[in-house]
Amino acid sequence: MPIDFKALVGTVYRRFWVIVTGFTATLLVVAYLTFTQTPIYKANSILQLDTNKENVIDLGSVLGGLAASTAVIDTEVRVMGSKSLLTKVATKLKLSEDPEFNWTLREQKPSIVDNIKAQVRSWSGHQAETTEPYANLSAEEREAAILESVVQTLMQKVHVSRIGTTYLIDVEVTSTSPETAARVADAVADQYRVQQLDSKLEATRRATAWLSERVAGLRDEVEAKERRVEEFRAETGLLSAQGATLTEQQIAYNTNQKSVLESQMNRARARYQSMKRQIDSGAGIDAIAEVLDSSVISNLKTQRAQILRRVAELETTLGPAHPELIGARNEAEDIERQITAEVNRIATNLESEMKVAQDQLNSINSNISQSTAQLRGNNINQVRLRELERDAETSRVLYEEFISRSKETREQDDLVQADANILSTATVPSSPSSPRKMLNLVIGALLGGIIGGGLALLAEVFDMKISSAEDIERKFGVSSIGSVPLIRSTSLLPFSHIKPADFLVDNPLSAFAESIRYLRAAIAFSDLDSETKTVAITSSLPDEGKTSLTLSLGRMSAMSGSRTLVIDGDFRRGQLTEAAGLSPEIGFIEHLFGAGQLSDAITKDQRSMLDILPLSKSGHVPHDVFGTRAFDDLLARLRTMYDLILIDTGPLLLMAEARVVAGKTDKTILVIRWRRSLRSAVRQSLHLLSTFNADLLGITLNMVDVSRRRHHKDPGSTYKAYSKYYTMETKRSIFSWGRKSGSKAAQKASYPSVVSNSLRSHEPQQESVDEFSSN
């Protein structure tokens, strides 16, 4: 939505004094607070956090430096501003003896409220009560309460913050004393370092004591666990030598022996089977390797060879039956039997050897099976043994680690350092940091402008009054048919001699007359298809200038040559009759109800050709006037007699008759008073007119005070050429009127006037005027 700069400038112009008042008041308050404020001094001490930490004990981070993280640095900032640290600072610097921190040491100046209370007590006869702070507390409790108050005050004066994203921490202290500000800032920084050292030393001592106790416990634990391992090894037979258990070594030995015996048995079986096959086949013994290797057989074979030679020799020399030959032959057979027996013996030996090897192999297999079964049980026990060994090994490693760390921790007291260094100490400030007078004044001026502008906007928002024809058209959606100026006079001219209708006659060329003339033209040209003859002029509430406007409009119409009749329809007040200076015996009501002729009721205006149907002074008013058939007949008769009939009705919101007559006339004009009529009342009046089917010609803004230019928003009011013209004509008319009345004061009078918002306007020239006409 675009900003309407013209409307904004208009708002500033109208609410200029509201803005000036808000601006001036705010600026004065800010200036007063600035120049009466106690000077505040500010001192800063800067620390640098040391993130290069020396990790003394890695186990569980028993003692370590600061980690380089935002969370850790923010935590340290909170620690520096903590209550515990500031309590130590307050105690160290003895701030309880400083009146700035200890309010009980200050001279208590009674406030205005305290003075009033004391005065009331003195009048009532009661003596002033003197109460000492902490009067009902013991000495220790009083000291603790004072220290608590001092610390709370110190916490309000100390501000700790991180400088950007660096590892620098700024300690800022404010005080009414520059020396105190610097002293406290340095004390806070130093106490932070001291607290860090104390914390680390205490942690080191606690760690040393804990480690010593833990080492002793771990030593006993390791011994117990190693003893349990050996006992379990002995119980389960898991004794080992050279890295293997006895069962494993036995299985390995038997396996090797089995291989050897299997080889021997295979060889013996092969030799036996080969020898047996040769024997069974009848082959010579010379083909048997075992026979060839036998020395007995070799000797027997030698003897057999010798005997066979001897037999052969004897056969050649002796006869077959020769005893020597027979003996030699028997000896040869005996040797042959010995050879056969020896071969059989060798075969038997080979078979026995094979059986022995088989028995040995079977024994070895049995031993291997027994060892394997024992090894299975050992493997199950080995799981438990390894578990015990791991447990013992863990305790042993932890024990050795604790011994090492314990030795290192005992040497840490000389190596403990704070994690922060004081980068710069606080210097005593030479000038106060607060109040910043020039800045405060600039802020006060800006704030004053904002407050003044806000007040102006609030005044505009809550301004329910109507200031211009633009307001009428924008707020109500109804056409505006002119603005009628408020007639004002100088203090030398008695306002009782001049009335708006009389002023119109005396000043026909004035802006007031032009506004009435424009209103008459608006009526004449309101409907081009049919002639407008009857017009009801009404208002929402009393005192909105409706009656004066009706009489002035009637005179203007009569002076213009139109046959015009004005009917006084305000039965409650009858102000039109009074304004015209009439006091008839027979009036509008009497004629309407048959008490006289119409010619007897109509009175001719003395200053114009206007006809007036006034109200008599009898005061008798029937319950219903405008709703009767008699009024309808009278209105029809008057239409034939006059060119324009104006009816001055009562207020719409107060009298039902006004609503009825508005529905019976050709047109209705709603009169509202400038800067007096409320929007809610006008809205309700428009609703009533719509309900009674009244043909609304428009709304007339009456009694516009053009001297109050800030609230007169019609754009034509700034044309100076028209102003000069109408001022000149007005003066000439006033001088003419002054000569007739013989008043010298009247010759000096000048009257401002304004024309309607759609024709012409002028700017007033008077400086001091008084209102003399409203109705």
Side-chain angles (χ1 to χ4, degrees):
M1 181 178 180
I3 299 176
D4 190 350
F5 289 100
K6 183 177 180 181
L8 184 61
V9 172
T11 301
V12 173
Y13 181 71
R14 287 188 301 276
R15 307 295 177 180
F16 176 76
W17 290 113
V18 174
I19 297 174
V20 169
T21 301
F23 173 82
T24 305
T26 304
L27 183 60
L28 289 177
V29 170
V30 172
Y32 174 78
L33 296 176
T34 298
F35 288 101
T36 57
Q37 182 180 351
T38 302
I40 302 297
Y41 295 87
K42 184 184 298 182
N44 297 78
S45 179
I46 299 177
L47 289 89
Q48 180 183 7
L49 295 180
D50 185 10
T51 58
N52 298 322
K53 35 186 195 303
E54 298 178 0
N55 198 359
V56 178
I57 298 177
D58 188 41
L59 181 62
S61 299
V62 177
L63 180 64
L66 294 176
S69 67
T70 301
V72 171
I73 297 175
D74 292 341
T75 301
E76 295 304 310
V77 168
R78 293 297 183 92
V79 170
M80 293 185 67
S82 64
K83 183 177 180 180
S84 60
L85 189 142
L86 295 182
T87 301
K88 297 176 182 178
V89 172
T91 304
K92 180 180 179 181
L93 298 181
K94 299 180 179 180
L95 296 182
S96 298
E97 301 175 1
D98 191 342
E100 181 181 356
F101 297 90
N102 187 356
W103 64 273
T104 61
L105 301 179
R106 303 173 198 160
E107 181 181 356
Q108 300 296 328
K109 296 181 180 180
S111 62
I112 297 177
V113 177
D114 294 335
N115 292 331
I116 294 175
K117 291 181 178 179
Q119 188 66 33
V120 171
R121 290 193 189 98
S122 63
W123 288 343
S124 61
H126 296 284
Q127 294 183 354
E129 297 179 1
T130 57
T131 58
E132 181 183 356
Y134 314 120
N136 298 325
L137 301 179
S138 63
E140 293 78 8
E141 293 175 341
R142 183 177 186 276
E143 183 177 353
I146 291 176
L147 180 59
E148 177 71 18
S149 176
V150 169
V151 172
Q152 292 295 333
T153 304
L154 181 60
M155 291 178 67
Q156 296 175 3
K157 294 178 176 293
V158 175
H159 177 68
V160 184
S161 61
R162 181 182 182 184
I163 301 178
T165 57
T166 65
Y167 299 126
L168 302 179
I169 297 180
D170 179 28
V171 181
E172 181 182 279
V173 178
T174 57
S175 174
T176 56
S177 171
E179 293 80 8
T180 301
R183 184 162 56 96
V184 173
D186 288 338
V188 172
D190 185 66
Q191 182 60 40
Y192 173 70
R193 297 184 72 255
V194 171
Q195 182 169 296
Q196 278 192 333
L197 290 174
D198 292 343
S199 176
K200 285 193 172 185
L201 289 174
E202 182 62 24
T204 303
R205 296 188 186 98
R206 289 197 306 269
T208 302
W210 179 77
L211 285 173
S212 300
E213 181 181 355
R214 187 60 178 156
V215 165
L218 287 174
R219 184 186 303 114
D220 298 338
E221 182 180 345
V222 169
E223 292 178 357
K225 289 182 178 180
E226 290 181 345
R227 189 182 305 111
R228 176 60 182 155
V229 169
E230 296 302 326
E231 291 175 354
F232 183 79
R233 195 189 300 272
E235 291 173 359
T236 57
L238 294 177
L239 299 177
S240 62
Q242 298 179 351
T245 63
L246 296 180
T247 302
E248 291 174 346
Q249 292 178 2
Q250 186 177 359
I251 291 175
Y253 173 76
N254 289 333
T255 302
N256 292 332
Q257 289 297 108
K258 178 181 178 182
S259 298
V260 174
L261 290 175
E262 285 179 347
S263 299
Q264 292 177 356
M265 188 188 69
N266 291 332
R267 284 195 302 270
R269 182 184 294 111
R271 287 166 60 194
Y272 171 73
Q273 291 177 354
S274 175
M275 185 175 178
K276 187 175 181 181
R277 281 194 304 272
Q278 289 178 357
I279 291 174
D280 293 339
S281 62
I285 61 174
D286 293 336
I288 301 174
E290 286 73 9
V291 174
L292 293 176
D293 293 336
S294 175
S295 59
V296 175
I297 291 177
S298 296
N299 292 330
L300 290 175
K301 287 174 67 176
T302 302
Q303 290 177 10
R304 188 185 66 176
Q306 292 175 357
I307 291 174
L308 288 177
R309 279 193 303 270
R310 183 183 171 192
V311 169
E313 290 176 354
L314 290 176
E315 287 179 347
T316 57
T317 57
L318 299 177
H322 189 278
E324 185 177 357
L325 177 63
I326 293 172
R329 287 179 176 173
N330 290 334
E331 186 178 357
E333 290 177 357
D334 184 57
I335 291 173
E336 190 68 32
R337 285 193 299 271
Q338 290 182 4
I339 291 174
T340 302
E342 183 66 21
V343 169
N344 291 331
R345 187 188 62 80
I346 291 174
T348 301
N349 290 337
L350 288 175
E351 183 180 6
S352 298
E353 182 181 353
M354 184 184 66
K355 291 181 178 180
V356 170
Q358 182 65 43
D359 293 339
Q360 290 178 347
L361 183 61
N362 292 336
S363 178
I364 289 296
N365 287 332
S366 176
N367 292 335
I368 290 176
S369 297
Q370 292 178 359
S371 299
T372 302
Q374 185 177 0
L375 184 60
R376 292 192 188 98
N378 290 346
N379 289 338
I380 296 174
N381 294 328
Q382 192 74 22
V383 174
R384 174 60 180 165
L385 178 62
R386 284 195 295 269
E387 180 181 355
L388 294 175
E389 287 177 343
R390 285 195 301 270
D391 193 13
E393 182 65 22
T394 301
S395 297
R396 185 183 304 108
V397 172
L398 187 61
Y399 170 65
E400 293 174 355
E401 181 71 17
F402 268 81
I403 290 177
S404 175
R405 298 310 180 190
S406 179
K407 292 179 181 179
E408 293 177 358
T409 305
R410 291 190 183 95
E411 299 176 358
Q412 287 302 312
D413 286 348
D414 297 333
L415 300 177
V416 172
Q417 296 179 355
D419 292 326
N421 299 318
I422 298 179
L423 192 63
S424 64
T425 58
T427 58
V428 178
S430 58
S431 59
S433 61
S434 175
R436 301 173 65 178
K437 298 180 180 178
M438 184 57 71
L439 178 61
N440 287 358
L441 292 179
V442 172
I443 294 176
L446 294 176
L447 185 61
I450 294 173
I451 292 177
L455 292 176
L457 291 178
L458 287 176
E460 284 289 311
V461 170
F462 291 100
D463 186 5
M464 294 293 105
K465 299 177 182 179
I466 303 168
S467 301
S468 66
E470 183 182 356
D471 286 347
I472 295 173
E473 295 175 354
R474 185 175 66 251
K475 302 297 182 183
F476 309 118
V478 178
S479 300
S480 173
I481 55 172
S483 299
V484 180
L486 174 67
I487 301 175
R488 305 171 69 92
S489 67
T490 63
S491 57
L492 298 177
L493 184 62
F495 61 85
S496 59
H497 294 169
I498 297 296
K499 295 181 180 179
D502 296 336
F503 181 82
L504 174 71
V505 176
D506 295 333
N507 300 274
L509 299 180
S510 64
F512 177 78
E514 285 296 328
S515 65
I516 301 300
R517 190 175 292 112
Y518 168 74
L519 186 58
R520 175 182 174 274
I523 295 173
F525 294 98
S526 61
D527 193 346
L528 298 179
D529 296 332
S530 60
E531 185 179 6
T532 300
K533 284 195 172 185
T534 58
V535 178
I537 300 178
T538 185
S539 63
S540 301
L541 296 169
D543 299 328
E544 292 185 321
K546 161 184 60 67
T547 300
S548 298
L549 182 63
T550 303
L551 183 58
S552 300
L553 181 59
R555 285 184 175 178
M556 174 59 71
S557 177
M559 288 189 298
S560 299
S562 298
R563 293 175 298 168
T564 306
L565 174 66
V566 174
I567 301 176
D568 189 353
D570 190 353
F571 309 131
R572 304 300 189 274
R573 305 179 70 180
Q575 286 187 324
L576 189 141
T577 302
E578 182 180 352
L582 304 178
S583 182
E585 295 295 332
I586 298 176
F588 172 44
I589 300 301
E590 287 77 11
H591 169 70
L592 190 63
F593 292 97
Q597 297 297 323
L598 181 60
S599 58
D600 297 332
I602 295 177
T603 304
K604 184 68 68 174
D605 181 32
Q606 299 296 328
R607 305 201 60 182
S608 65
M609 300 299 293
L610 176 65
D611 287 342
I612 301 174
L613 187 56
L615 296 173
S616 65
K617 295 298 183 179
S618 64
H620 173 68
V621 180
H623 180 70
D624 188 5
V625 175
F626 296 110
T628 61
R629 176 64 64 85
F631 175 74
D632 296 340
D633 295 339
L634 175 62
L635 195 59
R637 179 183 176 188
L638 293 176
R639 283 176 176 273
T640 61
M641 298 171 57
Y642 293 96
D643 299 324
L644 179 63
I645 302 170
L646 302 176
I647 303 176
D648 178 26
T649 69
L652 276 171
L653 301 183
L654 302 181
M655 296 181 62
E657 294 87 344
R659 309 167 195 174
V660 175
V661 72
K664 294 186 176 183
T665 55
D666 297 334
K667 299 291 182 182
T668 300
I669 297 176
L670 179 63
V671 178
I672 62 175
R673 184 169 177 176
W674 180 82
R675 301 295 300 167
R676 181 71 64 85
S677 300
L678 298 178
R679 296 177 189 172
S680 58
V682 176
R683 248 185 226 104
Q684 189 174 358
S685 299
L686 293 175
H687 175 70
L688 290 175
L689 291 175
S690 175
T691 302
F692 282 84
N693 298 321
D695 188 357
L696 182 65
L697 177 61
I699 297 177
T700 297
L701 189 60
N702 193 25
M703 303 174 70
V704 178
D705 190 353
V706 295
S707 64
R708 296 175 62 186
R709 286 291 308 283
R710 300 188 188 280
H711 294 282
H712 185 52
K713 298 187 291 186
D714 284 333
S717 62
T718 58
Y719 295 158
K720 295 184 179 181
Y722 292 110
S723 172
K724 294 179 181 179
Y725 175 77
Y726 283 113
T727 301
M728 176 186 67
E729 296 297 335
T730 301
K731 288 182 178 180
R732 185 161 55 190
S733 299
I734 291 298
F735 291 156
S736 174
W737 173 83
R739 283 193 296 270
K740 291 191 294 180
S741 61
S743 172
K744 295 181 179 180
Q747 299 178 8
K748 300 179 180 179
S750 62
Y751 291 84
S753 57
V754 63
V755 78
S756 66
N757 60 339
S758 61
L759 292 181
R760 56 183 70 85
S761 65
H762 80 281
E763 187 173 3
Q765 303 294 325
Q766 291 82 353
E767 296 180 355
S768 176
V769 292
D770 296 321
E771 180 181 350
F772 69 86
S773 175
S774 61
N775 290 332

